[in-house]
Amino acid sequence: YRDGGYAVARTLGAAFAGLVRAAAADDDRLAEATDDTAHASFRNAAGFFYHVAYPHLRAASFERLFRSPEISAVARSLLGDRPVYVTHSKISYKYHEADQAWLPHQDSGYKAEARDGFTICVHLEDVSEANGALQLFPGSHRLGRLPHARIVRPGDSAPQIAVRDMPDIAPEFVGGPMGSILYFALDTIHQSPPNHTGGNRKILIFEVEPVGCLSNDEHGRPAIVINGRRSAVQSL
């Protein structure tokens, strides 16, 4: 993580695998919901949405996944015993052969100021280069927060952000079986291509930050603590 700006945990127990399967089942239900508030407005020209927004507000399985010992261990490995809370979450979707791609960006590029946190991704199914695994640019986190431009891809309904001047770094695909945990720095540049296999590739993505007292998520709600003092923040 320190050298490349990201790391992957692949050796997981049966209990965590059960939590992942439960979240994956709930995600299938959320994805089929006709209520558009369950989806972000971000869609492509064919009407396929890019993600399901804030699944942990819609199904308890995602909160249980956040609070698992495995996720807590990841947070503790980087931030020690400080309380860590979830700022937001989403399911990133890749429909089969849909024209969906995320441009190269840093998650910090969406922030108004530098933040002390990182992004966690949990594969809710097997993820590979063929079905749109994330590509990360190793070492790009050492460049700090870079200038971004707002770009609307042809056929997309809303703009993405993309790094204006890309560094000369070759990206690496980071896939893995269902239940893999990929985590990376907010300054690590990443992107993802379309899904060229059957099925709909889905990854749970959420950002976490350390807190020392009562804090809220990005919508002003009491946030979920995944490490540290459980009593510091009430559950949603």
Side-chain angles (χ1 to χ4, degrees), residues 27-84:
D27 177 60
D28 289 338
R29 175 177 57 81
L30 294 175
E32 295 172 359
T34 57
D35 178 8
D36 281 344
T37 61
H39 307 144
S41 61
F42 195 90
R43 300 172 184 261
N44 67 8
F48 294 113
F49 56 84
Y50 274 67
H51 51 242
V52 173
Y54 298 91
H56 70 279
L57 301 182
R58 312 179 197 283
S61 59
F62 294 99
E63 181 173 344
R64 288 194 290 268
L65 192 56
F66 293 161
R67 297 190 190 282
S68 67
E70 287 81 0
I71 295 298
S72 180
V74 168
R76 187 173 290 109
S77 71
L78 298 180
L79 298 172
D81 290 328
R82 287 183 288 173
V84 176

Side-chain angles (χ1 to χ4, degrees), residues 7 49 52 100 151 167 194 221 225-226 229:
F49 56 84
V52 173
Q100 293 173 296
I151 298 174
R221 302 181 180 93
V225 168
I226 63 173
R229 295 192 303 274

Side-chain angles (χ1 to χ4, degrees), residues 58-194:
R58 312 179 197 283
S61 59
F62 294 99
E63 181 173 344
R64 288 194 290 268
L65 192 56
F66 293 161
R67 297 190 190 282
S68 67
E70 287 81 0
I71 295 298
S72 180
V74 168
R76 187 173 290 109
S77 71
L78 298 180
L79 298 172
D81 290 328
R82 287 183 288 173
V84 176
Y85 73 106
V86 176
T87 63
H88 66 273
S89 68
K90 62 185 178 183
I91 306 291
S92 176
Y93 255 85
K94 296 282 186 179
Y95 287 90
H96 172 53
E97 295 295 0
D99 181 19
Q100 293 173 296
W102 286 108
L103 301 174
H105 67 280
Q106 299 168 308
D107 285 346
S108 60
Y110 284 96
K111 317 297 183 188
E113 58 186 13
R115 306 274 278 273
D116 183 16
F118 59 95
T119 300
I120 300 176
C121 305
V122 180
H123 295 173
L124 298 184
E125 63 178 326
D126 294 346
V127 175
S128 66
E129 179 176 346
N131 71 357
L134 268 66
Q135 289 180 296
L136 291 96
F137 292 74
S140 57
H141 65 303
R142 299 180 184 276
L143 303 174
R145 195 158 56 113
L146 300 172
H148 287 67
R150 292 172 63 85
I151 298 174
V152 179
R153 292 182 64 250
D156 281 352
S157 64
Q160 299 185 34
I161 65 168
V163 175
R164 288 180 181 172
D165 298 308
M166 284 294 295
D168 186 18
I169 301 174
E172 296 181 356
F173 277 103
V174 183
M178 183 177 183
S180 297
I181 303 173
L182 163 66
Y183 50 105
F184 53 88
L186 296 180
D187 287 338
T188 299
I189 301 173
H190 56 288
Q191 62 185 12
S192 63

